[in-house]
Amino acid sequence: MAKETLTITDNRTGQSYEIPIQMGTIRAMDLRQIKANEGDFGLMTYDPGLTNTASTKSAITFIEGDKGILHYRGYPIEQLAEHSTFLETAYLVIYGELPTRQELAAWEFEIAHHSMVHTNIQNLIQAFRYDAHPMSVFISSVASLSTLYPEARNITDPELMRLQIVRMIAKVPTIAAYTYRHNQGWPINRPDDGLSYLGSFLRMMFRMTEVHFEPHPVLERALNVLFMLHVDHEQNCSTTVMRTIGSSQADPYSALAGAAAALYGPLHGAANEAVLRMLEQIGSPENVPAFIEKVKRGEGRLMGFGHRIYKNYDPRCRIIKKTAEAVFEVTGHNKLLDVALELEKAALADDYFVSRSLYPNVDFYSGLIYRAMNLPANLFTVMFAVPRTVGWIAQWVEMLKDPEQKLARPRQVYIGRELRPYVSLDKRG
Ligand code: CMC
């Protein structure tokens, strides 16, 4: 039988090493024994962007990028999107199993009863300029929650940990909605525990003067689906930040703010905003070929296309496309959808994109749904951060319980100047 080991010959010394292979990986620390001479530090791997480094074992999300497969805790995303709700999926992702009827009712009740935010947070949001980017406001507000719950620094008490988990999931929609209302110059709506989690969110966002706000069932279901699709995506940039900050045993609100900050970048969670701006810039389907040529000349990227992991159609994109159709039946047709469809068709028929396995990703259609709901583009990343909070939490909990995890502290290859003496100011060129 073949041995599950790797034999490495160091051509500098002629010495051979046999290293165990476990679950398709070798341990980076096993390379440290490989030394060119006595005083040598030992071999390390060099992996900018951590593109080929497994930083953890995880039982949360399974992705098979080449086949376009995504599972949460073993359940296919397609089945969850069809049958589950956001809060039920959140429970599954964090605790590992689908809740019983009783567990689900208790979970929904608990979250509904923690959805109000302290007036300090409300005042903080009001203190920002009306045109402050909603993501900056969201990040600051989430970070500020740690000022209200200093006990959150105790990350070893299971009851306290559970309380912070509930608080985070309960309060992020309220913060998102208050941010949006402030941005628009409208008074806030408080959460309503007579509605579902997303019904209350829709009410906080959109209620104007009506006494009884009824969330539209199609929009509520669409948000459920969109939120489920965004819950987790294993070790992406923001999740890595959540785990990295968490590894220093900082409180979860501070870690959450860091993760949200990572999501804010246009190569990660702000791609949905960039997609919408790109579609607006293209303007109409006949301008698509010229735009594609520009991208191929290296003048910008096709936003919402390509993925570090999926080298096939992003399974979330297929579901979002269907959800978009249901939403447009309620909100009316959006002309940017025609541009998006034409762009997708043209890119998938073009060798530049096909040969690089560039397919639409989750951000390609999500922005169109949010635009159809009349949300401004700069709010889209917040709409990503709210459900992703669940994934960040699940990954944080898993990290804290993993005895193998340590303070995150990568190595570097120093390429700077050799040792040199300090030069006083009057002697410098
Ligand atoms: N448009 C045009 N060309 C692209 C694109 C794109 N969207 N993405 C990658 N390429 C090209 C790239 O120029 C390179 O070509 P070449 O080999 O000729 O130099 C090749 O494809 C490989 O690109 P890469 O940058 O090495 O690939 P990566 O795995 O590092 O990038 C990515 C992944 C998501 C950063 C990238 O595809 C991208 O910038 N996409 C647009 C932004 C976007 O939609 N981001 C959302 C990602 S999904 C949600 C999330 O996870 O947050």
Side-chain angles (χ1 to χ4, degrees):
M1 213 178 87
K3 273 167 87 184
E4 284 291 297
T5 61
L6 175 74
T7 300
I8 300 174
T9 303
D10 185 344
N11 292 322
R12 299 170 300 178
T13 59
Q15 212 172 320
S16 282
Y17 303 83
E18 191 174 351
I19 291 176
I21 299 177
Q22 281 181 333
M23 294 187 268
T25 63
I26 58 162
R27 291 203 169 240
M29 278 307 284
D30 283 347
L31 299 177
R32 191 66 74 73
Q33 59 183 305
I34 305 177
K35 297 185 179 190
N37 52 53
E38 252 312 278
D40 189 5
F41 179 75
L43 203 64
M44 296 189 294
T45 55
Y46 175 58
D47 188 7
L50 303 176
T51 53
N52 197 39
T53 296
S55 59
T56 186
K57 291 175 189 161
S58 181
I60 301 171
T61 293
F62 173 75
I63 301 175
E64 200 166 342
D66 291 341
K67 297 193 182 140
I69 289 176
L70 170 62
H71 300 167
Y72 295 154
R73 302 282 188 184
Y75 293 101
I77 191 66
E78 292 79 5
Q79 289 183 22
L80 291 168
E82 192 172 342
H83 303 294
S84 188
T85 62
F86 171 65
L87 276 192
E88 185 187 60
T89 297
Y91 187 100
L92 167 73
V93 168
I94 294 172
Y95 298 111
E97 294 297 336
L98 285 167
T100 61
R101 198 178 289 279
Q102 227 176 359
E103 285 165 340
L104 181 61
W107 175 241
E108 289 174 344
F109 179 87
E110 222 183 336
I111 289 180
H113 287 82
H114 282 278
S115 53
M116 257 175 67
V117 294
H118 195 284
T119 45
N120 278 357
I121 299 293
Q122 196 181 316
N123 294 339
L124 175 74
I125 293 172
Q126 301 292 335
F128 286 101
R129 274 178 60 124
Y130 72 97
D131 60 352
H133 195 288
M135 245 341 243
S136 305
V137 179
F138 182 84
I139 293 164
S140 310
S141 308
V142 169
S144 303
L145 289 176
S146 72
T147 65
L148 300 168
Y149 310 114
E151 74 278 13
R153 296 189 73 187
N154 182 347
I155 49 145
T156 52
D157 181 321
E159 264 319 296
L160 280 178
M161 199 163 164
R162 184 179 159 86
L163 179 59
Q164 310 320 320
I165 290 173
V166 167
R167 280 179 175 152
M168 285 187 276
I169 298 174
K171 292 181 198 306
V172 285
T174 313
I175 290 175
Y178 285 13
T179 300
Y180 169 60
R181 303 286 295 192
H182 174 62
N183 211 237
Q184 300 295 313
W186 296 331
I188 56 149
N189 294 309
R190 291 186 204 295
D192 182 341
D193 70 6
L195 296 171
S196 71
Y197 181 84
L198 289 169
S200 170
F201 181 47
L202 283 168
R203 182 181 179 280
M204 285 191 283
M205 298 280 284
F206 298 118
R207 177 180 166 265
M208 298 308 274
T209 53
E210 42 303 29
V211 178
H212 298 293
F213 177 91
E214 285 293 329
H216 196 292
V218 172
L219 300 188
E220 191 177 332
R221 182 63 206 160
L223 266 195
N224 258 301
V225 173
L226 273 173
F227 275 27
M228 280 186 272
L229 300 183
H230 282 89
V231 161
D232 193 56
H233 215 231
E234 51 118 305
Q235 309 312 314
N236 53 77
C237 177
S238 55
T239 301
T240 302
V241 172
M242 182 83 189
R243 281 178 170 265
T244 302
I245 299 179
S247 79
S248 77
Q249 303 191 345
D251 72 85
Y253 301 106
S254 303
L256 196 69
L263 192 75
Y264 189 11
L267 294 189
H268 189 13
N272 52 12
E273 180 179 343
V275 169
L276 203 92
R277 298 203 192 287
M278 173 187 76
L279 295 175
E280 281 170 348
Q281 187 198 335
I282 297 172
S284 95
E286 38 312 346
N287 300 332
V288 163
F291 186 80
I292 292 266
E293 287 312 311
K294 250 174 72 178
V295 170
K296 284 162 65 179
R297 286 198 302 273
E299 296 168 29
R301 288 196 163 193
L302 196 48
M303 298 313 285
F305 264 69
H307 200 279
R308 178 62 59 77
I309 305 285
Y310 294 119
K311 300 302 170 195
N312 198 325
Y313 213 89
D314 182 337
R316 300 169 299 174
C317 190
R318 202 170 278 127
I319 301 167
I320 288 194
K321 212 168 152 181
K322 254 174 56 194
T323 307
E325 282 157 17
V327 169
F328 294 151
E329 273 187 27
V330 175
T331 59
H333 185 77
N334 187 314
K335 75 176 172 51
L336 290 183
L337 178 67
D338 298 333
V339 182
L341 289 171
E342 186 57 33
L343 196 57
E344 181 183 345
K345 202 168 98 195
L348 295 183
D350 192 304
D351 189 54
Y352 176 93
F353 299 94
V354 175
S355 64
R356 289 169 177 78
S357 302
L358 298 171
Y359 294 90
N361 60 46
V362 68
D363 293 315
F364 193 64
Y365 286 102
S366 59
L368 282 173
I369 298 184
Y370 292 138
R371 173 44 56 90
M373 291 179 173
N374 262 336
L375 293 178
N378 64 7
L379 201 80
F380 294 176
T381 312
V382 173
M383 299 295 286
F384 188 162
V386 172
R388 182 53 61 86
T389 295
V390 167
W392 291 328
I393 291 169
Q395 300 274 349
W396 171 72
V397 172
E398 187 179 66
M399 186 268 307
L400 290 177
K401 289 187 175 163
D402 181 349
E404 280 201 307
Q405 285 298 322
K406 288 174 178 301
L407 173 71
R409 186 13 176 128
R411 292 277 173 180
Q412 66 165 10
V413 179
Y414 179 69
I415 55 164
R417 303 289 290 258
E418 296 281 324
L419 179 69
R420 49 183 175 158
Y422 177 77
V423 181
S424 60
L425 195 53
D426 54 349
K427 293 206 175 111
R428 283 177 225 161

